[in-house]
Amino acid sequence: EFHAHCVYVSTDYVFDGEAAAPYREDDAPRPRSSYGRSKLEGELEVARVSPENHLIVRTGWLYGPGKGFVDWARGLLLSGEALPLIEDRTASPTTARELASAMLTLVEQGRRGVFHFVNQGETSWLGLGRAIAEDCALSPRGIRAIRASEWPRPAPRPRYSALCVERFERTTGRTVTGWREALRQYLG
């Protein structure tokens, strides 16, 4: 009614995790969980209600102050507790601060449609945990590699859900920080 610019944050879980290269915006979504299905339904509804004036931003493995995997893993490493980390799930860790900045850029530039935004590159939970230990100068002794099947979750998660950010970079003229550098900045 007001022709407002509708911005919707979505997830890498709209994909099935069977890809071998980072998902692009035009890859067909095939969610495997109710969470992924509900986020895809949200995308479709936003596009239906505001066909010419919507912005959908997919992200994944988000972390920020007090929330997410990075602070959880750092806390366990600091306490010396065991840290079993999944080695066979891969995606792109992303800082909440960089996601917010990217979304602001997209809105300020008046962008429409679907964009992916994650920090460049990909890793496993195991790789991310080892990077946290290294950047915080903590012993990685408590880190133990496990398979996803050893850590059953109530909902299936994609085996691979890295996202391609080429459209974002090309459209906005901004270079996206790699996940490793973004992690160093966050932990710094």
Side-chain angles (χ1 to χ4, degrees), residues 140-159:
R141 279 193 306 268
I143 296 174
R144 180 174 57 89
I146 63 169
R147 309 288 293 168
S149 59
E150 296 175 66
W151 190 299
R153 305 293 298 165
R157 297 175 182 237
R159 174 192 57 77

PDB file of all heavy atoms in Angstrom, residues 140-159:
ATOM      1  N   PRO A 140      44.766 -25.672  20.994  1.00  0.00           N
ATOM      2  CA  PRO A 140      43.719 -26.411  20.285  1.00  0.00           C
ATOM      3  C   PRO A 140      43.566 -27.850  20.804  1.00  0.00           C
ATOM      4  O   PRO A 140      42.850 -28.641  20.206  1.00  0.00           O
ATOM      5  CB  PRO A 140      44.223 -26.399  18.841  1.00  0.00           C
ATOM      6  CG  PRO A 140      45.708 -26.396  18.980  1.00  0.00           C
ATOM      7  CD  PRO A 140      46.005 -25.589  20.231  1.00  0.00           C
ATOM      8  N   ARG A 141      44.235 -28.178  21.922  1.00  0.00           N
ATOM      9  CA  ARG A 141      44.228 -29.564  22.415  1.00  0.00           C
ATOM     10  C   ARG A 141      42.827 -30.117  22.640  1.00  0.00           C
ATOM     11  O   ARG A 141      42.591 -31.293  22.426  1.00  0.00           O
ATOM     12  CB  ARG A 141      45.036 -29.687  23.708  1.00  0.00           C
ATOM     13  CG  ARG A 141      46.518 -29.798  23.491  1.00  0.00           C
ATOM     14  CD  ARG A 141      47.227 -30.226  24.767  1.00  0.00           C
ATOM     15  NE  ARG A 141      46.913 -29.374  25.901  1.00  0.00           N
ATOM     16  CZ  ARG A 141      47.621 -28.301  26.262  1.00  0.00           C
ATOM     17  NH1 ARG A 141      48.692 -27.966  25.588  1.00  0.00           N
ATOM     18  NH2 ARG A 141      47.270 -27.587  27.307  1.00  0.00           N
ATOM     19  N   GLY A 142      41.888 -29.284  23.090  1.00  0.00           N
ATOM     20  CA  GLY A 142      40.548 -29.770  23.376  1.00  0.00           C
ATOM     21  C   GLY A 142      39.696 -29.999  22.135  1.00  0.00           C
ATOM     22  O   GLY A 142      38.646 -30.630  22.200  1.00  0.00           O
ATOM     23  N   ILE A 143      40.182 -29.509  20.982  1.00  0.00           N
ATOM     24  CA  ILE A 143      39.415 -29.647  19.746  1.00  0.00           C
ATOM     25  C   ILE A 143      39.537 -31.081  19.229  1.00  0.00           C
ATOM     26  O   ILE A 143      40.636 -31.621  19.116  1.00  0.00           O
ATOM     27  CB  ILE A 143      39.900 -28.647  18.677  1.00  0.00           C
ATOM     28  CG1 ILE A 143      39.644 -27.215  19.150  1.00  0.00           C
ATOM     29  CG2 ILE A 143      39.219 -28.902  17.340  1.00  0.00           C
ATOM     30  CD1 ILE A 143      40.208 -26.145  18.231  1.00  0.00           C
ATOM     31  N   ARG A 144      38.387 -31.662  18.935  1.00  0.00           N
ATOM     32  CA  ARG A 144      38.356 -33.029  18.413  1.00  0.00           C
ATOM     33  C   ARG A 144      37.448 -33.058  17.188  1.00  0.00           C
ATOM     34  O   ARG A 144      36.322 -32.562  17.225  1.00  0.00           O
ATOM     35  CB  ARG A 144      37.825 -33.972  19.487  1.00  0.00           C
ATOM     36  CG  ARG A 144      37.747 -35.423  19.064  1.00  0.00           C
ATOM     37  CD  ARG A 144      37.354 -36.323  20.223  1.00  0.00           C
ATOM     38  NE  ARG A 144      36.089 -35.972  20.848  1.00  0.00           N
ATOM     39  CZ  ARG A 144      34.901 -36.454  20.450  1.00  0.00           C
ATOM     40  NH1 ARG A 144      34.817 -37.293  19.441  1.00  0.00           N
ATOM     41  NH2 ARG A 144      33.799 -36.094  21.084  1.00  0.00           N
ATOM     42  N   ALA A 145      37.959 -33.616  16.095  1.00  0.00           N
ATOM     43  CA  ALA A 145      37.168 -33.729  14.863  1.00  0.00           C
ATOM     44  C   ALA A 145      36.125 -34.826  15.009  1.00  0.00           C
ATOM     45  O   ALA A 145      36.438 -35.933  15.463  1.00  0.00           O
ATOM     46  CB  ALA A 145      38.085 -34.040  13.683  1.00  0.00           C
ATOM     47  N   ILE A 146      34.879 -34.477  14.629  1.00  0.00           N
ATOM     48  CA  ILE A 146      33.808 -35.475  14.605  1.00  0.00           C
ATOM     49  C   ILE A 146      33.050 -35.348  13.290  1.00  0.00           C
ATOM     50  O   ILE A 146      33.164 -34.340  12.584  1.00  0.00           O
ATOM     51  CB  ILE A 146      32.827 -35.316  15.803  1.00  0.00           C
ATOM     52  CG1 ILE A 146      32.116 -33.960  15.741  1.00  0.00           C
ATOM     53  CG2 ILE A 146      33.544 -35.535  17.123  1.00  0.00           C
ATOM     54  CD1 ILE A 146      30.971 -33.834  16.719  1.00  0.00           C
ATOM     55  N   ARG A 147      32.273 -36.343  12.973  1.00  0.00           N
ATOM     56  CA  ARG A 147      31.404 -36.325  11.794  1.00  0.00           C
ATOM     57  C   ARG A 147      30.039 -35.771  12.215  1.00  0.00           C
ATOM     58  O   ARG A 147      29.652 -35.864  13.383  1.00  0.00           O
ATOM     59  CB  ARG A 147      31.231 -37.734  11.221  1.00  0.00           C
ATOM     60  CG  ARG A 147      32.522 -38.501  10.968  1.00  0.00           C
ATOM     61  CD  ARG A 147      33.323 -38.023   9.816  1.00  0.00           C
ATOM     62  NE  ARG A 147      32.610 -38.277   8.568  1.00  0.00           N
ATOM     63  CZ  ARG A 147      32.957 -37.762   7.418  1.00  0.00           C
ATOM     64  NH1 ARG A 147      33.989 -36.963   7.329  1.00  0.00           N
ATOM     65  NH2 ARG A 147      32.285 -38.037   6.333  1.00  0.00           N
ATOM     66  N   ALA A 148      29.314 -35.211  11.278  1.00  0.00           N
ATOM     67  CA  ALA A 148      27.982 -34.672  11.583  1.00  0.00           C
ATOM     68  C   ALA A 148      27.071 -35.748  12.161  1.00  0.00           C
ATOM     69  O   ALA A 148      26.232 -35.464  13.015  1.00  0.00           O
ATOM     70  CB  ALA A 148      27.370 -34.058  10.334  1.00  0.00           C
ATOM     71  N   SER A 149      27.259 -36.985  11.728  1.00  0.00           N
ATOM     72  CA  SER A 149      26.427 -38.084  12.231  1.00  0.00           C
ATOM     73  C   SER A 149      26.656 -38.347  13.728  1.00  0.00           C
ATOM     74  O   SER A 149      25.813 -38.946  14.387  1.00  0.00           O
ATOM     75  CB  SER A 149      26.701 -39.357  11.431  1.00  0.00           C
ATOM     76  OG  SER A 149      28.065 -39.715  11.535  1.00  0.00           O
ATOM     77  N   GLU A 150      27.787 -37.868  14.264  1.00  0.00           N
ATOM     78  CA  GLU A 150      28.082 -38.030  15.685  1.00  0.00           C
ATOM     79  C   GLU A 150      27.439 -36.933  16.537  1.00  0.00           C
ATOM     80  O   GLU A 150      27.499 -36.991  17.764  1.00  0.00           O
ATOM     81  CB  GLU A 150      29.595 -38.018  15.922  1.00  0.00           C
ATOM     82  CG  GLU A 150      30.335 -39.166  15.273  1.00  0.00           C
ATOM     83  CD  GLU A 150      31.833 -39.028  15.451  1.00  0.00           C
ATOM     84  OE1 GLU A 150      32.302 -39.115  16.606  1.00  0.00           O
ATOM     85  OE2 GLU A 150      32.522 -38.810  14.438  1.00  0.00           O
ATOM     86  N   TRP A 151      26.890 -35.912  15.892  1.00  0.00           N
ATOM     87  CA  TRP A 151      26.263 -34.809  16.607  1.00  0.00           C
ATOM     88  C   TRP A 151      24.861 -34.644  16.038  1.00  0.00           C
ATOM     89  O   TRP A 151      24.593 -33.719  15.276  1.00  0.00           O
ATOM     90  CB  TRP A 151      27.062 -33.526  16.411  1.00  0.00           C
ATOM     91  CG  TRP A 151      26.648 -32.390  17.298  1.00  0.00           C
ATOM     92  CD1 TRP A 151      25.436 -31.777  17.340  1.00  0.00           C
ATOM     93  CD2 TRP A 151      27.461 -31.711  18.240  1.00  0.00           C
ATOM     94  NE1 TRP A 151      25.435 -30.764  18.242  1.00  0.00           N
ATOM     95  CE2 TRP A 151      26.674 -30.695  18.823  1.00  0.00           C
ATOM     96  CE3 TRP A 151      28.776 -31.861  18.657  1.00  0.00           C
ATOM     97  CZ2 TRP A 151      27.165 -29.825  19.792  1.00  0.00           C
ATOM     98  CZ3 TRP A 151      29.255 -30.988  19.625  1.00  0.00           C
ATOM     99  CH2 TRP A 151      28.464 -30.000  20.186  1.00  0.00           C
ATOM    100  N   PRO A 152      23.964 -35.552  16.363  1.00  0.00           N
ATOM    101  CA  PRO A 152      22.623 -35.500  15.768  1.00  0.00           C
ATOM    102  C   PRO A 152      21.895 -34.214  16.141  1.00  0.00           C
ATOM    103  O   PRO A 152      21.951 -33.779  17.287  1.00  0.00           O
ATOM    104  CB  PRO A 152      21.922 -36.728  16.332  1.00  0.00           C
ATOM    105  CG  PRO A 152      22.738 -37.172  17.484  1.00  0.00           C
ATOM    106  CD  PRO A 152      24.107 -36.603  17.346  1.00  0.00           C
ATOM    107  N   ARG A 153      21.264 -33.615  15.169  1.00  0.00           N
ATOM    108  CA  ARG A 153      20.496 -32.389  15.347  1.00  0.00           C
ATOM    109  C   ARG A 153      19.040 -32.702  15.041  1.00  0.00           C
ATOM    110  O   ARG A 153      18.753 -33.595  14.249  1.00  0.00           O
ATOM    111  CB  ARG A 153      21.006 -31.297  14.412  1.00  0.00           C
ATOM    112  CG  ARG A 153      22.495 -30.996  14.518  1.00  0.00           C
ATOM    113  CD  ARG A 153      22.905 -30.379  15.802  1.00  0.00           C
ATOM    114  NE  ARG A 153      22.228 -29.099  15.958  1.00  0.00           N
ATOM    115  CZ  ARG A 153      22.146 -28.444  17.095  1.00  0.00           C
ATOM    116  NH1 ARG A 153      22.683 -28.928  18.169  1.00  0.00           N
ATOM    117  NH2 ARG A 153      21.525 -27.300  17.156  1.00  0.00           N
ATOM    118  N   PRO A 154      18.118 -31.948  15.622  1.00  0.00           N
ATOM    119  CA  PRO A 154      16.700 -32.232  15.379  1.00  0.00           C
ATOM    120  C   PRO A 154      16.285 -32.002  13.925  1.00  0.00           C
ATOM    121  O   PRO A 154      15.355 -32.634  13.449  1.00  0.00           O
ATOM    122  CB  PRO A 154      15.963 -31.273  16.313  1.00  0.00           C
ATOM    123  CG  PRO A 154      16.983 -30.371  16.888  1.00  0.00           C
ATOM    124  CD  PRO A 154      18.334 -30.907  16.593  1.00  0.00           C
ATOM    125  N   ALA A 155      16.993 -31.116  13.222  1.00  0.00           N
ATOM    126  CA  ALA A 155      16.651 -30.830  11.818  1.00  0.00           C
ATOM    127  C   ALA A 155      17.874 -31.085  10.946  1.00  0.00           C
ATOM    128  O   ALA A 155      19.001 -30.811  11.357  1.00  0.00           O
ATOM    129  CB  ALA A 155      16.217 -29.383  11.666  1.00  0.00           C
ATOM    130  N   PRO A 156      17.670 -31.611   9.743  1.00  0.00           N
ATOM    131  CA  PRO A 156      18.806 -31.830   8.851  1.00  0.00           C
ATOM    132  C   PRO A 156      19.441 -30.497   8.427  1.00  0.00           C
ATOM    133  O   PRO A 156      18.741 -29.524   8.203  1.00  0.00           O
ATOM    134  CB  PRO A 156      18.193 -32.551   7.649  1.00  0.00           C
ATOM    135  CG  PRO A 156      16.736 -32.290   7.716  1.00  0.00           C
ATOM    136  CD  PRO A 156      16.400 -32.003   9.139  1.00  0.00           C
ATOM    137  N   ARG A 157      20.746 -30.484   8.355  1.00  0.00           N
ATOM    138  CA  ARG A 157      21.482 -29.297   7.939  1.00  0.00           C
ATOM    139  C   ARG A 157      22.219 -29.592   6.644  1.00  0.00           C
ATOM    140  O   ARG A 157      22.639 -30.713   6.423  1.00  0.00           O
ATOM    141  CB  ARG A 157      22.455 -28.876   9.027  1.00  0.00           C
ATOM    142  CG  ARG A 157      21.714 -28.477  10.288  1.00  0.00           C
ATOM    143  CD  ARG A 157      22.643 -28.173  11.424  1.00  0.00           C
ATOM    144  NE  ARG A 157      21.855 -27.838  12.596  1.00  0.00           N
ATOM    145  CZ  ARG A 157      21.962 -26.699  13.257  1.00  0.00           C
ATOM    146  NH1 ARG A 157      22.837 -25.801  12.871  1.00  0.00           N
ATOM    147  NH2 ARG A 157      21.217 -26.468  14.304  1.00  0.00           N
ATOM    148  N   PRO A 158      22.390 -28.587   5.805  1.00  0.00           N
ATOM    149  CA  PRO A 158      23.086 -28.827   4.538  1.00  0.00           C
ATOM    150  C   PRO A 158      24.538 -29.256   4.767  1.00  0.00           C
ATOM    151  O   PRO A 158      25.215 -28.707   5.631  1.00  0.00           O
ATOM    152  CB  PRO A 158      23.032 -27.473   3.826  1.00  0.00           C
ATOM    153  CG  PRO A 158      22.041 -26.649   4.555  1.00  0.00           C
ATOM    154  CD  PRO A 158      21.939 -27.206   5.938  1.00  0.00           C
ATOM    155  N   ARG A 159      24.979 -30.221   4.003  1.00  0.00           N
ATOM    156  CA  ARG A 159      26.373 -30.667   4.063  1.00  0.00           C
ATOM    157  C   ARG A 159      27.299 -29.554   3.581  1.00  0.00           C
ATOM    158  O   ARG A 159      28.399 -29.350   4.094  1.00  0.00           O
ATOM    159  CB  ARG A 159      26.540 -31.910   3.176  1.00  0.00           C
ATOM    160  CG  ARG A 159      27.971 -32.409   3.028  1.00  0.00           C
ATOM    161  CD  ARG A 159      28.112 -33.446   1.927  1.00  0.00           C
ATOM    162  NE  ARG A 159      27.665 -32.997   0.624  1.00  0.00           N
ATOM    163  CZ  ARG A 159      28.357 -32.174  -0.184  1.00  0.00           C
ATOM    164  NH1 ARG A 159      29.523 -31.723   0.177  1.00  0.00           N
ATOM    165  NH2 ARG A 159      27.877 -31.809  -1.345  1.00  0.00           N
TER     166      ARG A 159
END
